[in-house]
Amino acid sequence: MRTFFKIVLIILTTIIVLMGGLVAFIHHEISDEQLRKHAESFLSEALGTEVKLEGARLHPFESEMAIYGLNVKDLQKEDMLHIDTLEATVNFWKLWKKEVLVYGFNLSGANANIYKVRKDSAANYQFVIDAIQFVGEKKDAIDKKDTKNQLYFDLRKVTINRTSAKWDVRSEDSLNCDGHKELDPNHLWIDNLHTRVSLHGGGAPGNFTGKMDLLAVNERNSETAITLKDIVFKGNERKLGIGDMDFTYQDKHLTIKDYSLEGSTQGTADVHHLVIKNIYFKNGIGVPVTPRRPMEGEFDGEHLELELSLDATASLLSSDSVDMKINSLKGVDKTSGLHIDSLSVDVNGTRFHQTMNDLYVCSGKTEVIIDSASINLPRYGKDKRPLSFATSEVKVNALLKDIARPFGQALINFTTPLFARCTITGDEKQIKIHNVHAYNADHRVDVHADGVMNIPQKKGEQVSLRFNVHKLKAVRGIKEQIISHFPIQGDAMKFIRDLGDISFRGTVYLPFRRQEFKGVLGTRWGVFDVNMKLSSIDYKLNGSLSTQKFNLGKYIGNDNIGNISVMANISDLDIASPQIAKLIHRKQGLIPTCTLSGRAREASYKGIKIRDIDFKIHSNGKAADGKLWATNKWADLSCDFSFTDPTDIKNTLKVKPHIKLHKLKLFEKKSKKDKTNKKDKE
C-alpha cells in the first residue's frame, strides 16, 4: 500500500516540476511553437536529461496553459515519463515571487517507468526530486548558488485520468512466475489510475485542507484494485475521513466505510482517535468450499465473510514505535456465525518488540482475559532472531454453546459453564500451553495438563495439538450432566453413570480431523489401559483397552459374574454420525454400532473361574450378536448369542452353546519293540 501511494506522489512531483518550468518562461507573449521549443530547451537543461514536447499552448490573460505529448528520459537515457495532455490554470502574478499558484490541473494519459537497479541504489527519478522545492520549506536552507531555477508550488486542485506506472527493483526476482499472481513490492504495475483532489490553504504541509473525490488504482500483475471515495483531510485540524474504501486482491475483497481519524493534544502527547464504523472483508471468492461435516464447526479461515467496527486511540504511531489502545472491536463472521461482542487491548512497543496489556475478548457469555503478553517480532540479516511470544495467565470462562456453530456443532446444547487457566509461550514452529487447569464451577470436573501445538512449516502439513494430562477427574453426577448436552445418547447415560467416578492420566493427541487418547482410565469397578482413535471424518472410534481386574458383575448388576481380566479391540464404534442417529431413531436401538473382539484372560461365573476365552461381538445399532469360544485338550467349547437390550440381558439374551470333544486314546496298542524291551528288563 505504501509503495502504491509513493509511486502516485512521484508522478505528481514530476508533473509539478515540468509545469513549473513552463511557467517560468511567461514574461512576455510568445507563440505556441516558440513556447514548445523554449520549454524543451529549459526543461532539458534544468533536469539534465532529454525532454521532448509535441505541443504547448499558453493564454496568460486567461491563466490557462497546456502541454501535449511530453516525453522525459532519465539520466540513463531510458524513457521515464510520457504525458498525453496536461492542462493547468495558474496565477501568473505569483511568478514575481518565484511561486507558482496552481488553481488546478488536469492530467490525462500519463505513463511512468520508474525503477532501481539494486535495492540500495537511488531510483531513476531521484534527479527530479532534487530539482523541486515545495511551499513552506525554509528559504535559508537553500544554497543561494543553486536558486536560479528553484520554484515554489502551491496546488489547489488535481485531476488525473488514464495514468499508469511501472516500478521495478531490477536486481530482485519476480514472485509472479508459473502462473502465480502475487502482490510483489519489487515489481509493480499500476494501471488505470484515476483521482480528483481539492486542496486549500497552502503554506506548510500540515496546514492544508482538502478533499479527494476519487482515487482508483489497479495493479496489473497481481490483479489488485484499490478505490477510495469521498476522502476529506484537514491538516490544520489533524482530521482525515474516508467515506468508502474498496480493496480487491485475487480472491479477497475488503470494504471500509465511514473511516475517521482525528488528532488532538492531551497534555504533551499527540493523540489520534480512529473510528471505522463498517469494515467488510471476504476471502475465498471463487474458491470451492470444502464440505463441512456435521460434527465439525463451520469456521473456515479460507472462506471468511467479516463485518467489523473499530474504535481505537493512538498516542504514538510510527514505523518504529506504537502506543495505542483498541477501545472496541466488534464483529461477526457471517459464514460461520462466530461473533465478537467486544475486544479491547492496549498495545505498545518498538518495531521488533510489542507488548499487549489488558486483552479482553467476549463472545456471548464466553470470555478470554489476558493481563499481559509480549511479542518479539522476527529479525533478519545480521541480527537474525525468530518470532517468539509469551503471555501471563490466560483466563477463559466458557459457555461452549456460544462457539458451537463455528467450532463444533455437537456442543450446540452445552450449557454447563467451564473455566480454564494456563500460560502460553511459542515461536514460529510451536505454541506451548503450560499449567492448564480446566474445571467447572464446583470442581466436579477437574483437569491438569500441559500442551504443545505444532505449526505447519511446509505446504500440505496440518496443525496438530498434544496434551499431556497429569490428572483428570469427573465425579458422579457431572458426567450425566455433560452427556445430557449431546443429542445422541442411546443408552450412554446408564453406562456412564454406572462407572462411578472417572479419572484419567495419559496423552490426548489431536492431529487433523482425528483425536487420539492413550493412558490409564480409572473407574469405580476397575482400571483400564486405553488406546483409542476417534475420526472426525466418519465418527468411528477404533482402538484397544485392557484391564487386569474389572468387576463386570457389579457394573452390569449381575451377581453371578465376578471379576474379569480382559484385552479387547474396538473397531468402527459409531458414536455420533447422522446415519447412526437416524438408525437409532428409526429402530429404537440402544446399542452402538461396532465390532468388539479380544480375549478374556480370566473370568468367573457363579464362583467358577474360566481362563483364555476368546470373543467377538458385532452390533448394527438394534441388535448385537457374537460368539465365545475356548479350546483345551479335552474339547472346544463355544456359544453363539444375541441380545437387543444391554440393560435387560436377562429377557433379551438368546444363547446357543456348542461343544466339540477331542478324540481320546484310552488304550494304546503296544508295538513288538515295546514288548521286547519289557522282556529284556525282566
Side-chain angles (χ1 to χ4, degrees):
M1 287 290 291
R2 293 176 63 185
T3 307
F4 275 154
F5 293 110
K6 182 179 180 181
I7 293 173
V8 173
L9 180 61
I10 292 167
I11 295 172
L12 294 176
T13 302
T14 304
I15 293 168
I16 292 169
V17 173
L18 299 174
M19 184 178 59
L22 290 176
V23 177
F25 286 99
I26 311 173
H27 293 290
H28 57 277
E29 284 196 48
I30 57 176
S31 67
D32 291 347
E33 179 61 20
Q34 288 176 314
L35 176 63
R36 184 191 67 78
K37 290 180 179 180
H38 281 297
E40 274 189 0
S41 175
F42 174 80
L43 292 174
S44 296
E45 181 180 350
L47 297 176
T49 188
E50 181 182 342
V51 178
K52 293 292 185 182
L53 272 175
E54 294 180 3
R57 177 170 55 84
L58 177 65
H59 296 288
F61 296 105
E62 297 178 8
S63 301
E64 294 180 357
M65 59 173 291
I67 58 176
Y68 309 99
L70 172 68
N71 288 282
V72 180
K73 293 185 180 295
D74 61 23
L75 298 182
Q76 285 71 42
K77 308 302 180 185
E78 294 188 35
D79 290 334
M80 187 184 74
L81 179 66
H82 169 80
I83 297 176
D84 285 344
T85 304
L86 173 61
E87 299 175 330
T89 303
V90 183
N91 185 337
F92 296 119
W93 300 104
K94 292 280 188 176
L95 283 174
W96 301 108
K97 298 180 180 180
K98 299 202 72 177
E99 295 181 9
V100 180
L101 173 57
V102 182
Y103 291 115
F105 73 77
N106 299 324
L107 172 69
S108 181
N111 191 317
N113 177 35
I114 52 181
Y115 62 85
K116 285 184 176 183
V117 177
R118 299 180 310 277
K119 270 192 171 183
D120 57 353
S121 64
N124 68 328
Y125 57 81
Q126 186 60 45
F127 71 100
V128 177
I129 302 296
D130 296 339
I132 191 169
Q133 180 68 40
F134 280 98
V135 170
E137 294 188 359
K138 295 181 180 179
K139 297 183 179 181
D140 57 2
I142 303 172
D143 187 345
K144 293 182 179 180
K145 295 181 181 180
D146 296 327
T147 59
K148 181 178 179 180
N149 294 322
Q150 293 282 0
L151 297 170
Y152 299 88
F153 298 92
D154 188 358
L155 274 71
R156 298 299 173 88
K157 188 175 182 180
V158 179
T159 301
I160 299 176
N161 292 301
R162 295 187 300 106
T163 295
S164 63
K166 292 187 70 174
W167 161 259
D168 283 303
V169 180
R170 294 180 172 177
S171 62
E172 303 301 309
D173 294 332
S174 174
L175 299 177
N176 294 297
C177 57
D178 299 327
H180 295 290
K181 293 185 177 182
E182 301 291 336
L183 188 60
D184 186 349
N186 295 315
H187 306 280
L188 294 172
W189 188 348
I190 295 178
D191 190 24
N192 202 20
L193 169 66
H194 296 268
T195 186
R196 294 189 298 272
V197 183
S198 300
L199 303 171
H200 306 281
N207 291 333
F208 67 83
T209 62
K211 180 178 181 181
M212 181 183 292
D213 298 324
L214 173 69
L215 172 61
V217 179
N218 295 323
E219 204 284 314
R220 185 180 298 184
N221 291 337
S222 62
E223 298 182 352
T224 301
I226 300 175
T227 303
L228 303 177
K229 296 179 180 178
D230 300 327
I231 305 169
V232 178
F233 41 90
K234 299 180 180 180
N236 53 345
E237 298 180 22
R238 291 186 288 180
K239 291 183 179 180
L240 172 64
I242 302 176
D244 195 342
M245 184 177 87
D246 193 84
F247 175 82
T248 301
Y249 172 52
Q250 296 180 356
D251 64 336
K252 302 172 182 64
H253 185 81
L254 173 67
T255 299
I256 294 177
K257 294 184 178 181
D258 298 326
Y259 171 108
S260 67
L261 177 63
E262 184 173 347
S264 62
T265 301
Q266 296 181 6
T268 59
D270 290 333
V271 177
H272 302 277
H273 186 201
L274 171 65
V275 176
I276 305 177
K277 294 183 179 179
N278 191 317
I279 303 172
Y280 176 83
F281 173 79
K282 186 173 184 178
N283 66 347
I285 300 172
V287 179
V289 178
T290 303
R292 313 301 291 178
R293 293 168 175 81
M295 269 191 69
E296 295 179 331
E298 297 180 20
F299 181 81
D300 182 355
E302 296 181 353
H303 295 84
L304 299 172
E305 188 174 1
L306 304 177
E307 289 185 353
L308 307 170
S309 63
L310 174 67
D311 185 310
T313 305
S315 57
L316 178 62
L317 194 60
S318 68
S319 59
D320 295 320
S321 302
V322 62
D323 187 354
M324 67 177 295
K325 179 178 182 179
I326 297 178
N327 303 312
S328 175
L329 174 66
K330 300 179 180 180
V332 62
D333 174 20
K334 297 175 68 176
T335 301
S336 68
L338 176 64
H339 58 94
I340 299 175
D341 296 327
S342 178
L343 184 153
S344 60
V345 63
D346 291 342
V347 181
N348 59 75
T350 60
R351 182 178 179 184
F352 295 108
H353 179 78
Q354 302 288 329
T355 300
M356 295 190 299
N357 295 298
D358 300 325
L359 173 63
Y360 176 79
V361 183
C362 176
S363 177
K365 294 183 179 180
T366 297
E367 299 175 315
V368 179
I369 303 169
I370 303 177
D371 291 336
S372 64
S374 62
I375 304 173
N376 292 314
L377 299 174
R379 286 185 179 181
Y380 303 98
K382 186 177 180 181
D383 299 325
K384 187 176 180 180
R385 184 182 68 185
L387 170 73
S388 64
F389 53 89
T391 72
S392 64
E393 185 180 55
V394 179
K395 303 172 185 177
V396 180
N397 307 320
L399 198 63
L400 296 183
K401 76 178 187 66
D402 292 337
I403 56 175
R405 181 183 165 191
F407 298 118
Q409 295 282 13
L411 303 172
I412 195 67
N413 297 315
F414 203 109
T415 57
T416 299
L418 297 177
F419 308 91
R421 303 291 183 263
C422 67
T423 57
I424 300 174
T425 62
D427 54 29
E428 296 170 336
K429 297 180 179 180
Q430 285 187 334
I431 298 175
K432 296 182 179 180
I433 309 170
H434 309 275
N435 302 321
V436 179
H437 183 202
Y439 52 94
N440 74 322
D442 57 9
H443 289 265
R444 286 184 295 163
V445 171
D446 201 89
V447 183
H448 294 267
D450 292 295
V452 176
M453 177 184 287
N454 292 314
I455 301 172
Q457 302 297 306
K458 298 178 182 178
K459 187 175 181 180
E461 292 182 345
Q462 303 290 344
V463 174
S464 64
L465 177 62
R466 182 187 299 274
F467 282 102
N468 293 319
V469 180
H470 310 303
K471 176 185 175 183
L472 178 152
K473 73 170 185 178
V475 302
R476 191 182 180 110
I478 191 63
K479 306 186 304 300
E480 295 85 343
Q481 183 178 334
I482 291 174
I483 290 295
S484 68
H485 297 319
F486 296 93
I488 302 173
Q489 298 177 36
D491 205 47
M493 185 70 79
K494 174 176 170 52
F495 291 144
I496 293 293
R497 181 177 62 246
D498 291 347
L499 285 173
D501 294 352
I502 291 177
S503 65
F504 178 77
R505 184 179 70 254
T507 61
V508 178
Y509 179 47
L510 306 174
F512 183 63
R513 288 185 172 175
R514 193 169 77 251
Q515 296 92 48
E516 299 182 8
F517 310 88
K518 185 176 182 180
V520 178
L521 175 67
T523 72
R524 179 183 179 185
W525 308 112
V527 177
F528 289 90
D529 291 321
V530 297
N531 188 352
M532 298 290 182
K533 297 180 181 180
L534 174 63
S535 171
S536 296
I537 297 176
D538 57 11
Y539 314 104
K540 300 294 179 63
L541 182 69
N542 292 272
S544 64
L545 57 85
S546 64
T547 179
Q548 295 297 323
K549 184 179 180 181
F550 181 76
N551 197 325
L552 179 61
K554 293 292 186 182
Y555 178 52
I556 65 174
N558 189 329
D559 294 334
N560 293 324
I561 300 175
N563 293 324
I564 65 168
S565 172
V566 67
M567 180 179 66
N569 295 311
I570 300 173
S571 301
D572 298 333
L573 174 60
D574 192 338
I575 60 172
S577 72
Q579 292 81 7
I580 193 60
K582 293 177 182 178
L583 185 65
I584 290 174
H585 177 74
R586 185 170 64 250
K587 296 185 177 181
Q588 297 181 345
L590 299 171
I591 309 170
T593 62
C594 71
T595 298
L596 183 66
S597 62
R599 168 169 288 194
R601 293 177 290 236
E602 183 176 291
S604 64
Y605 182 73
K606 292 186 177 181
I608 301 174
K609 290 188 176 181
I610 306 172
R611 292 182 174 86
D612 298 329
I613 301 175
D614 295 307
F615 61 88
K616 186 172 184 179
I617 304 171
H618 176 73
S619 166
N620 65 2
K622 180 182 179 182
D625 58 78
K627 182 177 183 178
L628 301 174
W629 68 94
T631 301
N632 57 41
K633 66 180 182 179
W634 304 108
D636 293 338
L637 304 175
S638 66
C639 74
D640 298 322
F641 62 89
S642 65
F643 59 89
T644 56
D645 186 351
T647 65
D648 190 14
I649 291 180
K650 182 177 179 180
N651 294 317
T652 63
L653 179 65
K654 296 179 180 180
V655 180
K656 185 177 182 180
H658 303 276
I659 183 169
K660 181 180 179 182
L661 297 174
H662 297 167
K663 267 189 179 181
L664 300 178
K665 296 180 180 180
L666 300 176
F667 305 98
E668 295 183 2
K669 188 176 181 180
K670 297 181 179 180
S671 65
K672 292 182 179 181
K673 186 176 180 181
D674 292 336
K675 292 179 179 180
T676 304
N677 291 337
K678 184 177 181 181
K679 288 181 179 181
D680 292 341
K681 289 180 180 180
E682 292 176 349

